[in-house]
Every structure is written in C-alpha cells, then in structure tokens.
C-alpha cells in the first residue's frame, strides 16, 4: 500500500512539473499563477494545482473530441463540426446539459501538443471547423495549441463556443486565431443571472464580450461546402436558449441584440431546454418550453426585423444533445 501511495505521489509530482514546464514554454505562467481570465477573478494559483472557480488547474482537461452534428446547419454542415469539449466552466448554470463535465466529473488530461494534434486529426476526418466548447479558462493553452497546429497545416475555421461570461481582455488573446464566435446571451434580467448562474452581472458582462467578438469578426462570410451546404467561414452567431416562463426576458434579449447589431450578426433562438434532473430549489425549471411559447418568441423576432436567424423545429428537446463523456478522440 505504501509503495502504491508513493507511486501516486511521484506521478502527481511529475504531472505538476510537466504542467509548469509547459506553461513556461508557451508563455502563460503569469496567467495561471494568479488567474483572472474570467469575470470571477478568483486569483487561483492554478499553476500550483489550485482549482479556480472553473474547477480546473492549469492542466488542460477535456472530455471528448469528435465530429459533432448538432450545431447550427452552417456550423455542422453534413460532415460535422470538430468539437472539443473542455472540462470545467466559469459560469456553472444550474440547468446545464453538460453539467457532468462543467463540474469536473469527467475528463482526461491533454497537453498543448496533444491538443494541436487533435485539431489536425479532426481536420483530417473532414470536420468543417474546430469547435472549442466552453474554452474560457484554458484560453492561453488553446491559443498556443492553435498556433502550433496552424504551423502544421490547420486551415479550417476555428469556432469559439461559449456561455459568454467572458472578459474582453481574455478574448483579445484570441484575435486572429478565432474565425467564428458562437456565444450565448442567456439572460437580460440580473435576477435570472444570479438565480441560475450566480452571476447578477451576466447581461452587461456578456454584452461587452459579444461586442468584442463582433469587433474582431465584424462581418459574416459563407462558402458553399462540398455537399452544397452553406457553411460559415467567419462571423458571429449569438444563441439564446428560451427557458420555461422566460418569454419576457427572451424578448428583451432579442430586442437588445437587434437594436445593437441589426442584421450584422446571426441569432439562434433555441427551444431545446430539457430538465436534466428534478429541481427542488427551481421548480419552474421542471418542465420544457411549450411549442406555443416558442412560436410566439419567433414571431416576436420576425416583428423586430431579425432576418439572419436560426430556429429549431418542434421536438428538439426530446433528442439527446448530450454525447458520451468517454474520452473519445483525446488519446494519440
């Protein structure tokens, strides 16, 4: 038993040393020693193994890297989006569909070099893009991996897929590396932001983040894919997930987006909310969004003049949008 414990301790020491060496090699030591990458500003020393609000150290952790077919049509196309699902989250919404990995309950360690090879492998498999899912707390590591993979021939667009609780300063680290931003704008109300995400400042923070995304990628660009599908090559698509009883808040979100950006951006109005467990504290979340409520929201969007948009067909909430967190695609 003592030998086993000793072996584990040695393995942990080696892992910590490797993590520090990698941070030094790619120049993100300072960012990890006193982490303020996200608006939580937790100041965790992630380089010494301390976990931030996101639940992660400086070691990249991911749960899956594979072709993904459930994004907007211009992202997935028919070949699929090369989605890399990162573990941890700076937002941790109570209704999260990916709650297992957001809370760090699954995942495997990946080095910067491994991540760059994963990007290249997904490109070889025919992915339309590289889709970085919940990447905020690993931005310096991801930026290093993207630079490496581009040197080795990565040529497909890169998608930044986020809940939008972001700092503009962190997003600026990705300028020139990200082609498509795919942010959420979850709530207008401070009360909802605090109730469901412990983030009363969510709306103003996410709005500022989206403004930075649009600054970096101001115009949408599309190309016709091999199968005739129109694929986005550059641009911003803002997602809004309608919640049960949230019709008024959803209207305020859509109005704000249209008044701010008009049809320069695309808006994706989603009806796929599905209760992932029985909520005692949030009984209003124990049901799906009704078809009538969703149709009324779509009609409202049309009345505003939103032309560049995506809607979901009825029944999407009945499908499983949650893949297996089994480490697919992460091992060399």
């Amino acid at each position: 038993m003592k030998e086993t414990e000793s072996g584990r301790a040695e393995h942990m020491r080696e892992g910590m040393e490797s993590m520090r060496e990698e941070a030094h090699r790619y120049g993100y030591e300072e960012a990890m020693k006193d982490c303020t990458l996200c608006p939580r500003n937790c100041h965790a020393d992630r380089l010494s193994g301390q976990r931030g609000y996101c639940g992660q150290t400086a070691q990249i952790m991911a749960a899956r890297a594979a072709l993904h077919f459930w994004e907007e049509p211009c992202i997935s196309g028919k070949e699929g989006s090369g989605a890399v699902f990162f573990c941890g989250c700076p937002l941790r919404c109570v209704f999260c569909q990916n709650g297992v990995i957001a809370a760090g309950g699954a995942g495997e360690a990946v080095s910067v070099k491994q991540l760059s090879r994963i990007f290249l492998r997904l490109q070889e498999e025919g992915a339309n893009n590289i889709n970085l899912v919940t990447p905020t707390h690993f931005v310096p590591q991801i930026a290093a991996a993207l630079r490496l993979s581009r040197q080795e021939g990565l040529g497909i667009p890169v998608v930044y897929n986020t809940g939008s609780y972001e700092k503009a300063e962190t997003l600026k680290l990705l300028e020139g590396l990200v082609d498509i931003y795919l942010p959420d704008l979850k709530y207008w109300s401070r009360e909802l932001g605090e109730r469901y995400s412990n983030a009363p400042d969510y709306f103003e923070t996410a709005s500022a983040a989206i403004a930075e995304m649009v600054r970096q990628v101001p115009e949408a660009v599309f190309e016709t894919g091999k199968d005739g599908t129109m694929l986005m090559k550059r641009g911003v698509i803002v997602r809004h997930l309608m919640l049960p009883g949230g019709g008024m808040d959803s209207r305020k979100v859509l109005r704000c987006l249209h008044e701010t950006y008009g049809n320069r951006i695309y808006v994706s109005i989603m009806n796929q909310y599905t209760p992932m467990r029985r909520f005692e504290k949030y009984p209003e979340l124990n049901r799906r969004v009704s078809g009538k409520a969703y149709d009324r929201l779509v009609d409202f969007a049309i009345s505003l003049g939103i032309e560049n948009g995506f809607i979901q067909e009825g029944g999407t909430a009945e499908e499983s949008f949650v893949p297996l967190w089994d480490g697919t695609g992460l091992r060399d």
Side-chain angles (χ1 to χ4, degrees):
M1 176 65 78
K2 289 183 179 179
E3 289 183 0
T4 301
E5 291 176 353
S6 175
R8 287 177 180 170
E10 181 62 26
H11 182 72
M12 288 179 65
R13 281 194 293 271
E14 290 176 356
M16 293 291 292
E17 189 173 329
S18 175
M19 188 168 68
R20 294 191 187 100
E21 287 177 357
E22 190 168 73
H24 177 72
R25 184 182 308 121
Y26 296 109
Y28 56 81
E29 282 178 296
E30 293 304 315
M32 291 292 109
K33 283 181 179 177
D34 182 29
C35 189
T36 57
L37 286 174
C38 85
R40 301 294 183 184
N41 291 319
C42 66
H43 294 280
D45 183 358
R46 295 170 60 192
L47 201 59
S48 294
Q50 187 177 358
R51 296 182 184 275
Y53 187 99
C54 61
Q56 300 299 308
T57 69
Q59 175 66 64
I60 305 169
M61 295 292 291
R64 184 180 178 86
L67 297 178
H68 189 66
F69 299 90
W70 298 331
E71 309 289 25
E72 284 72 11
C74 65
I75 300 294
S76 291
K78 291 187 178 178
E79 293 87 0
S81 177
V84 182
F85 291 87
F86 294 96
C87 299
C89 180
L91 201 50
R92 308 278 284 277
C93 305
V94 298
F95 52 81
C96 181
Q97 288 184 297
N98 297 344
V100 172
I101 61 171
E108 298 188 14
V110 178
S111 70
V112 168
K113 282 189 176 180
Q114 282 178 300
L115 187 58
S116 70
R117 290 196 294 267
I118 287 168
F119 295 157
L120 292 167
R121 178 184 54 76
L122 288 169
Q123 178 174 257
E124 290 171 3
E125 290 178 1
N128 290 312
N129 44 63
I130 300 300
N131 187 351
L132 309 168
V133 185
T134 319
T136 311
H137 43 294
F138 293 126
V139 160
Q141 295 92 321
I142 290 169
L146 285 172
R147 292 188 182 97
L148 281 178
S149 58
R150 286 194 170 178
Q151 290 172 8
E152 296 296 323
L154 184 70
I156 56 178
V158 174
V159 180
Y160 192 84
N161 187 337
T162 173
S164 298
Y165 202 53
E166 303 270 1
K167 281 185 169 182
E169 293 89 343
T170 300
L171 292 171
K172 287 175 181 176
L173 300 175
L174 295 162
E175 189 160 8
L177 296 173
V178 169
D179 305 282
I180 300 167
Y181 280 102
L182 190 58
D184 294 333
L185 190 53
K186 295 177 182 289
Y187 328 104
W188 181 88
S189 160
R190 287 182 65 84
E191 290 73 22
L192 291 182
E194 183 170 24
R195 180 167 174 77
Y196 298 145
S197 302
N198 190 30
D201 62 338
Y202 175 82
F203 177 76
E204 53 264 41
T205 300
S207 295
I210 292 169
E212 170 61 21
M213 296 173 193
V214 175
R215 184 196 70 79
Q216 290 186 24
V217 192
E219 302 295 336
V221 176
F222 293 84
E223 288 184 7
T224 305
K226 298 175 184 176
D227 58 7
T229 304
M230 291 299 291
L231 298 173
M232 179 174 272
K233 296 298 180 180
R234 289 179 61 80
V236 177
I237 303 174
V238 181
R239 289 170 160 174
H240 176 69
L241 174 66
M242 189 179 191
L243 294 174
M248 288 301 297
D249 196 74
S250 291
R251 284 169 172 76
K252 291 176 180 177
V253 166
L254 295 183
R255 183 184 293 280
C256 177
L257 285 172
H258 189 63
E259 289 180 349
T260 305
Y261 300 109
N263 286 304
R264 291 176 62 201
I265 65 169
Y266 280 70
V267 179
S268 181
I269 308 172
M270 302 187 296
N271 71 348
Q272 70 189 52
Y273 172 76
T274 304
M276 299 304 293
R277 59 186 176 86
R278 182 72 183 174
F279 294 104
E280 298 296 332
K281 189 176 178 181
Y282 315 99
E284 70 276 15
L285 296 179
N286 288 326
R287 63 181 179 87
R288 294 171 178 166
V289 173
S290 73
K292 288 183 179 179
Y294 180 72
D295 289 344
R296 287 195 294 269
L297 182 62
V298 172
D299 289 342
F300 177 77
I302 294 170
S303 73
L304 285 176
I306 294 177
E307 297 175 358
N308 295 338
F310 299 93
I311 61 174
Q312 292 183 317
E313 297 178 354
T316 52
E318 297 174 7
E319 296 184 34
S320 173
F321 287 88
V322 184
L324 293 174
W325 309 125
D326 56 1
T328 294
L330 297 177
R331 306 173 191 93
D332 290 336

